[in-house]
Amino acid sequence: MIFFRVTQNINIKTTDGTMVNYFKFKEPSNLENETLYISTYDDFKDLREIFSKVDKEKYFAKVFNEEKVRTLANFPIELGITNVDEYNNKENSSNSTCQNIKKVDIYKQLKNIKKDEITIAIIGGVGVSISQIVSSCTALRLLHEKLNFFYKNLKFDVYLNASNNSYYTREKQIYQTQEYINNVLPLSITVKKLCEYDYFIDNSLSINFLGLDFLNYVDAWLFRFGIDYEKISDNQKYNQLNLSGYKVQDILRDKINEAKLKGKLLLFHPYSANINKSIPQTIAVDILKELLLKADDYMIVSTLLIDLKIKDDRFIDLTKESKNLNDFMYIISSMDKIITVDTSTYHISDAFMIPTITIFTDENYLKKIKYFKYTKAILIKDKSKNLSKFIYENDSLIINKFESWNKLKVNRIIKLLDTF
């Protein structure tokens, strides 16, 4: 975490319209006040950049002496791997990865607090992509369950990067599907507000920075929280999403209900935000056509624009109805089975126990699906060769680029689907 103050009053609006107010530092008699702020390292950098764009001569975010704040009588207890003096450690380090991260025991950090309700502030989220957050929330849920043995009334508040986070609204939607989370709020947080909590967890340091990326995301975050992941049963490490707070659009609900009257629903999701994980478009179109011919028990559903020319009574395009993440999660939860590439789809489908075939290009895919009971994998091995002698890539000099994808047979996919 970074402790800082600002030189002028300024307001920052998040993508969901929430306003984060910053007020010029007032010399306090007590540092537990509303003009000292705390945020993650990345959010602090974003805030500085915004200030510079507004008026670099007038607006500054200045780092404050962390030690003075941490010694406040009401400063909450830090849980998990501690993160002290992050600003100096990051600014003065030539190495991009921390060394010698020591295992901690969260149970030794807990205190005998005599209160009816215990509150915990989680500074920063538990991932960046949808996939990471959904998986990592499993660890967050397990943390809540373990702490409930000690404190029966426990509230988690999650504070997310918000200064220049274009995905703030999407991330907030994911956390709002977690029943154990009390509130989702934007960073920064004032020192005065943080001192109202009993505990805090500082997620400013990423799993990769901590050198824990060799672990599955669930296990990595459990380690980060100070919980021995090896002592937790694999059966407890399942994804969980609750859409009870989501109001489905009438047109989306009606289209899905109408389709269910005609047959089982099969979602085909061939594209990822990462082109290297996506099925090449021409091959995706061919697979869709074959599915319509051979998977005659199913109505084929898509939330992606695959081919405008395809018109079939058994093909349902929900691209226009899938307007946000909640819509997409609702669609997934309504399916009977799913075919997808390596993207958030199979993380979400696992939470709703939907049988899913996931097509991977990453040979380390077993680590990703370690605790996924409703996912079966197909690996596409990259057989392309780059003939370029230069550092930069040149697609025209890459041969056999689609060879492996061309060997992906629809019959194999359908046969694997039938094993569920």
Side-chain angles (χ1 to χ4, degrees), residues 241-252:
L241 297 167
N242 184 349
L243 294 180
S244 61
Y246 160 70
K247 189 179 186 312
V248 61
Q249 314 162 58
D250 291 342
I251 188 171
L252 174 56

PDB file of all heavy atoms in Angstrom, residues 241-252:
ATOM      1  N   LEU A 241     -20.770 -18.338  -7.823  1.00  0.00           N
ATOM      2  CA  LEU A 241     -21.331 -17.066  -8.274  1.00  0.00           C
ATOM      3  C   LEU A 241     -22.816 -17.051  -7.947  1.00  0.00           C
ATOM      4  O   LEU A 241     -23.513 -18.048  -8.172  1.00  0.00           O
ATOM      5  CB  LEU A 241     -21.134 -16.880  -9.789  1.00  0.00           C
ATOM      6  CG  LEU A 241     -19.692 -16.807 -10.303  1.00  0.00           C
ATOM      7  CD1 LEU A 241     -19.661 -16.949 -11.820  1.00  0.00           C
ATOM      8  CD2 LEU A 241     -19.032 -15.496  -9.895  1.00  0.00           C
ATOM      9  N   ASN A 242     -23.294 -15.944  -7.440  1.00  0.00           N
ATOM     10  CA  ASN A 242     -24.704 -15.820  -7.076  1.00  0.00           C
ATOM     11  C   ASN A 242     -25.311 -14.650  -7.852  1.00  0.00           C
ATOM     12  O   ASN A 242     -24.929 -13.502  -7.650  1.00  0.00           O
ATOM     13  CB  ASN A 242     -24.834 -15.588  -5.565  1.00  0.00           C
ATOM     14  CG  ASN A 242     -26.285 -15.540  -5.110  1.00  0.00           C
ATOM     15  OD1 ASN A 242     -27.203 -15.469  -5.929  1.00  0.00           O
ATOM     16  ND2 ASN A 242     -26.492 -15.574  -3.817  1.00  0.00           N
ATOM     17  N   LEU A 243     -26.274 -14.957  -8.726  1.00  0.00           N
ATOM     18  CA  LEU A 243     -26.899 -13.926  -9.565  1.00  0.00           C
ATOM     19  C   LEU A 243     -28.247 -13.467  -9.031  1.00  0.00           C
ATOM     20  O   LEU A 243     -29.038 -12.865  -9.767  1.00  0.00           O
ATOM     21  CB  LEU A 243     -27.067 -14.459 -10.995  1.00  0.00           C
ATOM     22  CG  LEU A 243     -25.781 -14.734 -11.780  1.00  0.00           C
ATOM     23  CD1 LEU A 243     -26.127 -15.257 -13.167  1.00  0.00           C
ATOM     24  CD2 LEU A 243     -24.923 -13.487 -11.882  1.00  0.00           C
ATOM     25  N   SER A 244     -28.516 -13.728  -7.767  1.00  0.00           N
ATOM     26  CA  SER A 244     -29.837 -13.384  -7.206  1.00  0.00           C
ATOM     27  C   SER A 244     -30.098 -11.876  -7.234  1.00  0.00           C
ATOM     28  O   SER A 244     -31.256 -11.444  -7.261  1.00  0.00           O
ATOM     29  CB  SER A 244     -29.962 -13.905  -5.772  1.00  0.00           C
ATOM     30  OG  SER A 244     -28.976 -13.332  -4.936  1.00  0.00           O
ATOM     31  N   GLY A 245     -29.035 -11.072  -7.248  1.00  0.00           N
ATOM     32  CA  GLY A 245     -29.216  -9.625  -7.282  1.00  0.00           C
ATOM     33  C   GLY A 245     -29.307  -9.059  -8.691  1.00  0.00           C
ATOM     34  O   GLY A 245     -29.449  -7.843  -8.870  1.00  0.00           O
ATOM     35  N   TYR A 246     -29.248  -9.941  -9.696  1.00  0.00           N
ATOM     36  CA  TYR A 246     -29.262  -9.504 -11.097  1.00  0.00           C
ATOM     37  C   TYR A 246     -30.673  -9.588 -11.667  1.00  0.00           C
ATOM     38  O   TYR A 246     -31.371 -10.585 -11.497  1.00  0.00           O
ATOM     39  CB  TYR A 246     -28.312 -10.395 -11.898  1.00  0.00           C
ATOM     40  CG  TYR A 246     -28.530 -10.411 -13.391  1.00  0.00           C
ATOM     41  CD1 TYR A 246     -28.231  -9.299 -14.177  1.00  0.00           C
ATOM     42  CD2 TYR A 246     -29.039 -11.546 -14.018  1.00  0.00           C
ATOM     43  CE1 TYR A 246     -28.432  -9.329 -15.548  1.00  0.00           C
ATOM     44  CE2 TYR A 246     -29.236 -11.588 -15.382  1.00  0.00           C
ATOM     45  CZ  TYR A 246     -28.931 -10.472 -16.145  1.00  0.00           C
ATOM     46  OH  TYR A 246     -29.125 -10.498 -17.501  1.00  0.00           O
ATOM     47  N   LYS A 247     -31.101  -8.543 -12.349  1.00  0.00           N
ATOM     48  CA  LYS A 247     -32.424  -8.538 -13.000  1.00  0.00           C
ATOM     49  C   LYS A 247     -32.231  -8.750 -14.501  1.00  0.00           C
ATOM     50  O   LYS A 247     -31.711  -7.900 -15.204  1.00  0.00           O
ATOM     51  CB  LYS A 247     -33.142  -7.207 -12.744  1.00  0.00           C
ATOM     52  CG  LYS A 247     -34.601  -7.239 -13.198  1.00  0.00           C
ATOM     53  CD  LYS A 247     -35.309  -5.925 -12.910  1.00  0.00           C
ATOM     54  CE  LYS A 247     -36.799  -6.003 -13.234  1.00  0.00           C
ATOM     55  NZ  LYS A 247     -37.098  -6.576 -14.538  1.00  0.00           N
ATOM     56  N   VAL A 248     -32.655  -9.914 -14.969  1.00  0.00           N
ATOM     57  CA  VAL A 248     -32.473 -10.261 -16.372  1.00  0.00           C
ATOM     58  C   VAL A 248     -33.409  -9.448 -17.258  1.00  0.00           C
ATOM     59  O   VAL A 248     -34.546  -9.156 -16.880  1.00  0.00           O
ATOM     60  CB  VAL A 248     -32.707 -11.783 -16.583  1.00  0.00           C
ATOM     61  CG1 VAL A 248     -34.114 -12.175 -16.195  1.00  0.00           C
ATOM     62  CG2 VAL A 248     -32.404 -12.185 -18.017  1.00  0.00           C
ATOM     63  N   GLN A 249     -32.916  -9.078 -18.447  1.00  0.00           N
ATOM     64  CA  GLN A 249     -33.757  -8.393 -19.426  1.00  0.00           C
ATOM     65  C   GLN A 249     -34.852  -9.347 -19.893  1.00  0.00           C
ATOM     66  O   GLN A 249     -34.604 -10.543 -20.096  1.00  0.00           O
ATOM     67  CB  GLN A 249     -32.944  -7.979 -20.647  1.00  0.00           C
ATOM     68  CG  GLN A 249     -31.606  -7.318 -20.386  1.00  0.00           C
ATOM     69  CD  GLN A 249     -30.753  -7.365 -21.643  1.00  0.00           C
ATOM     70  OE1 GLN A 249     -31.137  -6.863 -22.685  1.00  0.00           O
ATOM     71  NE2 GLN A 249     -29.579  -7.985 -21.548  1.00  0.00           N
ATOM     72  N   ASP A 250     -36.037  -8.834 -20.108  1.00  0.00           N
ATOM     73  CA  ASP A 250     -37.149  -9.675 -20.565  1.00  0.00           C
ATOM     74  C   ASP A 250     -36.840 -10.371 -21.875  1.00  0.00           C
ATOM     75  O   ASP A 250     -37.125 -11.559 -22.048  1.00  0.00           O
ATOM     76  CB  ASP A 250     -38.421  -8.825 -20.722  1.00  0.00           C
ATOM     77  CG  ASP A 250     -38.970  -8.356 -19.388  1.00  0.00           C
ATOM     78  OD1 ASP A 250     -38.590  -8.940 -18.354  1.00  0.00           O
ATOM     79  OD2 ASP A 250     -39.765  -7.386 -19.377  1.00  0.00           O
ATOM     80  N   ILE A 251     -36.229  -9.627 -22.820  1.00  0.00           N
ATOM     81  CA  ILE A 251     -35.963 -10.196 -24.146  1.00  0.00           C
ATOM     82  C   ILE A 251     -34.949 -11.332 -24.066  1.00  0.00           C
ATOM     83  O   ILE A 251     -35.063 -12.338 -24.767  1.00  0.00           O
ATOM     84  CB  ILE A 251     -35.486  -9.100 -25.137  1.00  0.00           C
ATOM     85  CG1 ILE A 251     -35.408  -9.683 -26.543  1.00  0.00           C
ATOM     86  CG2 ILE A 251     -34.148  -8.493 -24.703  1.00  0.00           C
ATOM     87  CD1 ILE A 251     -35.152  -8.639 -27.622  1.00  0.00           C
ATOM     88  N   LEU A 252     -33.965 -11.213 -23.175  1.00  0.00           N
ATOM     89  CA  LEU A 252     -32.967 -12.269 -23.021  1.00  0.00           C
ATOM     90  C   LEU A 252     -33.600 -13.510 -22.386  1.00  0.00           C
ATOM     91  O   LEU A 252     -33.405 -14.635 -22.865  1.00  0.00           O
ATOM     92  CB  LEU A 252     -31.801 -11.767 -22.162  1.00  0.00           C
ATOM     93  CG  LEU A 252     -30.725 -12.804 -21.792  1.00  0.00           C
ATOM     94  CD1 LEU A 252     -30.136 -13.448 -23.045  1.00  0.00           C
ATOM     95  CD2 LEU A 252     -29.623 -12.147 -20.958  1.00  0.00           C
TER      96      LEU A 252
END
